[in-house]
Amino acid sequence: MMKKIGLSIYGFHVKDNDVDETNLQNLRGHDFVEIINEFADQYDNLYDKDEKSENIFTIISTESDKRENERGQIIYNFVSGKVKTGDFGIVSELIDTTNGRVKNRNREDAEVLPFSFGFMYSGGNVDHGVIVFQTEGRYGMKTNFINRFKIFLREHYSGVQFTIAPMIPVQFVSTILNKGALKKLRFLRYVAPADTNQRLGVNEGIHIKEERIFSNLAGVIERKREAILGFITGKNGIREIANIDDFDYDELRMEFNISGSIKTLNITNIDRIVITIELKPEELEIVDGHPTHESLKQLIEQNAYDYLEAVRK
């Protein structure tokens, strides 16, 4: 069975220290789309090796698009692409589960997976937008991508700062609460403390020590709506949403079903609220065990636009 394919959605912000007002349509004489493509060209089908973090990374392809209204005004700019990345540095045995044969994995061997991503930002004078990263099971590409993009900006556009954050608008969460059926509450405790792990909205190598799942949730949203929205706006703490006397959890995930699509809110830390969307297998075209970029691209674009619209309201 194929691993679950998901999307993690973040907001991004760009600040050019050389000007009073940053504009993504004109950043040091370039549209931000051009800068993303310039970054992609640097890693075009060439594996970059990070010895310190023990990962490799390459960009296979990118493409740019924009949507205009009937007056020819830009509604949004969109850049999508496909990368391959993975970790090395582990010595292990690989077991062929069909025949029991053993292969050795050396420290220099990297387990590489393909992932898709997308940037989107509105037309006009804006300094922020939305970025979407695909995940596969517990694996993702966010950290490997963002670290290299920041290095690229420092080297080629000194003074331009790029930050991402789980920027969740209250209106967007309200829509999920209104339209979605709450299916699960998942409480997780990790081996490493929550403030020291580097997850992407999915568990990335941080082992879950204990997990408790509650699925009989009739009436929970009605009772906890104000607490959920209050946490997002900073009016109350996470324990007002859910408190388990004998279980000190690191992470709370709320799984909603919206018209057959699973959307998960990671709402443990107000600075790390993450929207993750579980994609349905029938929405994807699978080749060689992985979804094609073309089938992911349209889902990334649609979800990014829904989020961008919520940010603008």
Short mmCIF file of all heavy atoms in Angstrom, two decimals, residues 60-93:
data_model
loop_
_atom_site.label_atom_id
_atom_site.label_comp_id
_atom_site.label_asym_id
_atom_site.label_seq_id
_atom_site.Cartn_x
_atom_site.Cartn_y
_atom_site.Cartn_z
N ILE A 60 14.41 19.04 -10.12
CA ILE A 60 14.22 18.38 -11.42
C ILE A 60 13.58 19.31 -12.43
O ILE A 60 13.97 19.35 -13.60
CB ILE A 60 13.35 17.11 -11.25
CG1 ILE A 60 13.98 16.16 -10.22
CG2 ILE A 60 13.15 16.41 -12.59
CD1 ILE A 60 15.37 15.72 -10.58
N SER A 61 12.58 20.09 -12.01
CA SER A 61 11.88 20.95 -12.95
C SER A 61 11.11 22.03 -12.20
O SER A 61 10.76 21.87 -11.03
CB SER A 61 10.89 20.14 -13.80
OG SER A 61 9.88 19.55 -12.97
N THR A 62 10.86 23.15 -12.88
CA THR A 62 9.97 24.20 -12.38
C THR A 62 9.17 24.75 -13.55
O THR A 62 9.58 24.65 -14.70
CB THR A 62 10.73 25.37 -11.72
OG1 THR A 62 11.65 25.93 -12.67
CG2 THR A 62 11.47 24.93 -10.47
N GLU A 63 8.02 25.31 -13.23
CA GLU A 63 7.23 26.00 -14.24
C GLU A 63 6.46 27.13 -13.59
O GLU A 63 6.08 27.05 -12.42
CB GLU A 63 6.28 25.04 -14.96
CG GLU A 63 5.42 24.18 -14.06
CD GLU A 63 4.66 23.13 -14.84
OE1 GLU A 63 3.97 23.50 -15.81
OE2 GLU A 63 4.74 21.95 -14.47
N SER A 64 6.25 28.20 -14.36
CA SER A 64 5.61 29.40 -13.84
C SER A 64 4.30 29.66 -14.56
O SER A 64 4.14 29.34 -15.74
CB SER A 64 6.53 30.63 -14.02
OG SER A 64 7.81 30.38 -13.50
N ASP A 65 3.35 30.24 -13.84
CA ASP A 65 2.05 30.55 -14.42
C ASP A 65 1.44 31.72 -13.65
O ASP A 65 1.93 32.10 -12.58
CB ASP A 65 1.13 29.33 -14.33
CG ASP A 65 -0.04 29.41 -15.31
OD1 ASP A 65 -0.12 30.40 -16.05
OD2 ASP A 65 -0.88 28.50 -15.29
N LYS A 66 0.41 32.30 -14.18
CA LYS A 66 -0.32 33.35 -13.48
C LYS A 66 -1.78 33.33 -13.93
O LYS A 66 -2.10 32.86 -15.02
CB LYS A 66 0.29 34.72 -13.75
CG LYS A 66 0.30 35.15 -15.20
CD LYS A 66 1.01 36.49 -15.35
CE LYS A 66 1.11 36.88 -16.84
NZ LYS A 66 1.84 38.16 -17.00
N ARG A 67 -2.65 33.80 -13.05
CA ARG A 67 -4.06 33.89 -13.41
C ARG A 67 -4.45 35.36 -13.44
O ARG A 67 -4.10 36.13 -12.54
CB ARG A 67 -4.94 33.16 -12.39
CG ARG A 67 -6.43 33.23 -12.76
CD ARG A 67 -7.33 32.74 -11.65
NE ARG A 67 -7.22 31.31 -11.46
CZ ARG A 67 -7.98 30.63 -10.59
NH1 ARG A 67 -8.84 31.27 -9.82
NH2 ARG A 67 -7.83 29.32 -10.48
N GLU A 68 -5.16 35.75 -14.51
CA GLU A 68 -5.60 37.12 -14.67
C GLU A 68 -7.12 37.19 -14.70
O GLU A 68 -7.80 36.22 -15.06
CB GLU A 68 -5.04 37.71 -15.98
CG GLU A 68 -3.52 37.75 -16.03
CD GLU A 68 -3.01 38.29 -17.36
OE1 GLU A 68 -3.79 38.29 -18.34
OE2 GLU A 68 -1.84 38.70 -17.41
N ASN A 69 -7.67 38.36 -14.31
CA ASN A 69 -9.11 38.54 -14.41
C ASN A 69 -9.46 39.05 -15.81
O ASN A 69 -8.58 39.17 -16.68
CB ASN A 69 -9.62 39.50 -13.33
CG ASN A 69 -8.98 40.89 -13.42
OD1 ASN A 69 -8.48 41.30 -14.48
ND2 ASN A 69 -9.01 41.62 -12.32
N GLU A 70 -10.75 39.34 -16.01
CA GLU A 70 -11.20 39.73 -17.36
C GLU A 70 -10.62 41.07 -17.81
O GLU A 70 -10.60 41.38 -19.01
CB GLU A 70 -12.74 39.79 -17.40
CG GLU A 70 -13.37 40.81 -16.48
CD GLU A 70 -13.50 40.31 -15.04
OE1 GLU A 70 -13.05 39.18 -14.76
OE2 GLU A 70 -14.04 41.06 -14.21
N ARG A 71 -10.08 41.86 -16.88
CA ARG A 71 -9.45 43.14 -17.22
C ARG A 71 -7.95 43.02 -17.42
O ARG A 71 -7.27 44.02 -17.62
CB ARG A 71 -9.76 44.18 -16.13
CG ARG A 71 -11.24 44.49 -15.97
CD ARG A 71 -11.47 45.60 -14.97
NE ARG A 71 -10.99 45.22 -13.64
CZ ARG A 71 -11.70 44.53 -12.77
NH1 ARG A 71 -12.91 44.11 -13.09
NH2 ARG A 71 -11.20 44.24 -11.58
N GLY A 72 -7.45 41.79 -17.35
CA GLY A 72 -6.02 41.57 -17.55
C GLY A 72 -5.18 41.83 -16.32
O GLY A 72 -3.95 41.84 -16.40
N GLN A 73 -5.82 42.02 -15.18
CA GLN A 73 -5.09 42.23 -13.92
C GLN A 73 -4.70 40.88 -13.32
O GLN A 73 -5.48 39.92 -13.36
CB GLN A 73 -5.95 43.02 -12.93
CG GLN A 73 -6.32 44.40 -13.43
CD GLN A 73 -7.37 45.05 -12.54
OE1 GLN A 73 -8.35 44.42 -12.15
NE2 GLN A 73 -7.17 46.33 -12.23
N ILE A 74 -3.50 40.81 -12.76
CA ILE A 74 -3.01 39.55 -12.19
C ILE A 74 -3.72 39.25 -10.88
O ILE A 74 -3.71 40.07 -9.96
CB ILE A 74 -1.49 39.60 -11.96
CG1 ILE A 74 -0.75 39.77 -13.30
CG2 ILE A 74 -1.01 38.33 -11.26
CD1 ILE A 74 0.76 39.93 -13.15
N ILE A 75 -4.35 38.08 -10.81
CA ILE A 75 -4.95 37.61 -9.56
C ILE A 75 -3.88 36.97 -8.69
O ILE A 75 -3.78 37.25 -7.49
CB ILE A 75 -6.08 36.61 -9.84
CG1 ILE A 75 -7.18 37.27 -10.68
CG2 ILE A 75 -6.66 36.06 -8.53
CD1 ILE A 75 -8.26 36.31 -11.13
N TYR A 76 -3.07 36.10 -9.30
CA TYR A 76 -1.96 35.51 -8.56
C TYR A 76 -0.87 35.04 -9.50
O TYR A 76 -1.11 34.76 -10.68
CB TYR A 76 -2.41 34.37 -7.64
CG TYR A 76 -2.97 33.15 -8.35
CD1 TYR A 76 -2.15 32.24 -9.00
CD2 TYR A 76 -4.33 32.88 -8.30
CE1 TYR A 76 -2.67 31.11 -9.61
CE2 TYR A 76 -4.87 31.75 -8.91
CZ TYR A 76 -4.04 30.87 -9.56
OH TYR A 76 -4.55 29.75 -10.18
N ASN A 77 0.34 34.98 -8.99
CA ASN A 77 1.49 34.35 -9.65
C ASN A 77 1.72 33.00 -8.99
O ASN A 77 1.58 32.86 -7.77
CB ASN A 77 2.75 35.21 -9.48
CG ASN A 77 2.60 36.57 -10.12
OD1 ASN A 77 2.71 36.73 -11.33
ND2 ASN A 77 2.34 37.58 -9.29
N PHE A 78 2.12 32.01 -9.79
CA PHE A 78 2.27 30.65 -9.26
C PHE A 78 3.51 30.01 -9.87
O PHE A 78 3.71 30.04 -11.09
CB PHE A 78 1.03 29.83 -9.60
CG PHE A 78 1.09 28.40 -9.12
CD1 PHE A 78 1.23 28.10 -7.77
CD2 PHE A 78 0.97 27.35 -10.01
CE1 PHE A 78 1.28 26.78 -7.33
CE2 PHE A 78 1.01 26.04 -9.59
CZ PHE A 78 1.16 25.75 -8.24
N VAL A 79 4.36 29.46 -9.01
CA VAL A 79 5.54 28.69 -9.44
C VAL A 79 5.45 27.32 -8.79
O VAL A 79 5.27 27.22 -7.57
CB VAL A 79 6.86 29.36 -9.03
CG1 VAL A 79 8.05 28.54 -9.53
CG2 VAL A 79 6.94 30.78 -9.55
N SER A 80 5.55 26.28 -9.60
CA SER A 80 5.56 24.93 -9.04
C SER A 80 6.80 24.19 -9.53
O SER A 80 7.41 24.57 -10.52
CB SER A 80 4.30 24.16 -9.44
OG SER A 80 4.27 23.96 -10.84
N GLY A 81 7.17 23.15 -8.81
CA GLY A 81 8.35 22.40 -9.22
C GLY A 81 8.43 21.05 -8.54
O GLY A 81 7.62 20.71 -7.67
N LYS A 82 9.43 20.31 -8.96
CA LYS A 82 9.66 18.97 -8.43
C LYS A 82 11.12 18.85 -8.01
O LYS A 82 12.02 19.27 -8.74
CB LYS A 82 9.34 17.91 -9.50
CG LYS A 82 9.64 16.47 -9.09
CD LYS A 82 9.30 15.52 -10.23
CE LYS A 82 9.62 14.07 -9.87
NZ LYS A 82 9.31 13.15 -11.00
N VAL A 83 11.33 18.31 -6.81
CA VAL A 83 12.69 18.10 -6.32
C VAL A 83 12.88 16.63 -5.98
O VAL A 83 11.92 15.86 -5.90
CB VAL A 83 12.98 18.95 -5.05
CG1 VAL A 83 12.57 20.40 -5.24
CG2 VAL A 83 12.28 18.37 -3.83
N LYS A 84 14.14 16.25 -5.81
CA LYS A 84 14.48 14.96 -5.23
C LYS A 84 15.45 15.23 -4.08
O LYS A 84 16.41 15.98 -4.24
CB LYS A 84 15.11 14.02 -6.26
CG LYS A 84 14.11 13.45 -7.26
CD LYS A 84 14.78 12.42 -8.17
CE LYS A 84 13.78 11.80 -9.14
NZ LYS A 84 14.43 10.78 -10.02
N THR A 85 15.18 14.63 -2.95
CA THR A 85 16.03 14.86 -1.79
C THR A 85 15.96 13.66 -0.85
O THR A 85 15.02 12.87 -0.90
CB THR A 85 15.61 16.15 -1.04
OG1 THR A 85 16.57 16.46 -0.03
CG2 THR A 85 14.24 16.00 -0.40
N GLY A 86 16.98 13.54 -0.02
CA GLY A 86 17.02 12.44 0.94
C GLY A 86 18.25 12.51 1.81
O GLY A 86 19.16 13.32 1.58
N ASP A 87 18.29 11.64 2.80
CA ASP A 87 19.37 11.64 3.78
C ASP A 87 20.37 10.51 3.52
O ASP A 87 20.02 9.47 2.97
CB ASP A 87 18.80 11.47 5.20
CG ASP A 87 17.91 12.64 5.60
OD1 ASP A 87 18.09 13.73 5.03
OD2 ASP A 87 17.04 12.45 6.47
N PHE A 88 21.61 10.76 3.95
CA PHE A 88 22.61 9.71 3.94
C PHE A 88 23.25 9.68 5.33
O PHE A 88 22.81 10.37 6.25
CB PHE A 88 23.66 9.94 2.85
CG PHE A 88 24.45 11.21 2.98
CD1 PHE A 88 25.65 11.24 3.69
CD2 PHE A 88 24.00 12.40 2.40
CE1 PHE A 88 26.38 12.42 3.82
CE2 PHE A 88 24.72 13.58 2.52
CZ PHE A 88 25.91 13.59 3.24
N GLY A 89 24.28 8.86 5.50
CA GLY A 89 24.97 8.81 6.78
C GLY A 89 24.55 7.68 7.69
O GLY A 89 25.01 7.58 8.83
N ILE A 90 23.64 6.81 7.19
CA ILE A 90 23.17 5.69 8.00
C ILE A 90 23.72 4.38 7.44
O ILE A 90 23.63 4.13 6.24
CB ILE A 90 21.63 5.63 8.01
CG1 ILE A 90 21.06 6.89 8.66
CG2 ILE A 90 21.14 4.39 8.76
CD1 ILE A 90 19.56 6.98 8.60
N VAL A 91 24.30 3.57 8.30
CA VAL A 91 24.75 2.23 7.92
C VAL A 91 23.70 1.24 8.42
O VAL A 91 23.38 1.21 9.61
CB VAL A 91 26.12 1.90 8.54
CG1 VAL A 91 26.53 0.48 8.18
CG2 VAL A 91 27.17 2.90 8.07
N SER A 92 23.14 0.45 7.51
CA SER A 92 22.07 -0.46 7.91
C SER A 92 21.99 -1.62 6.94
O SER A 92 22.70 -1.67 5.93
CB SER A 92 20.72 0.28 7.94
OG SER A 92 20.37 0.72 6.63
N GLU A 93 21.12 -2.56 7.28
CA GLU A 93 20.83 -3.68 6.39
C GLU A 93 19.46 -3.47 5.76
O GLU A 93 18.51 -3.06 6.43
CB GLU A 93 20.84 -5.00 7.16
CG GLU A 93 22.22 -5.43 7.66
CD GLU A 93 22.18 -6.77 8.36
OE1 GLU A 93 21.07 -7.23 8.70
OE2 GLU A 93 23.26 -7.37 8.56
#
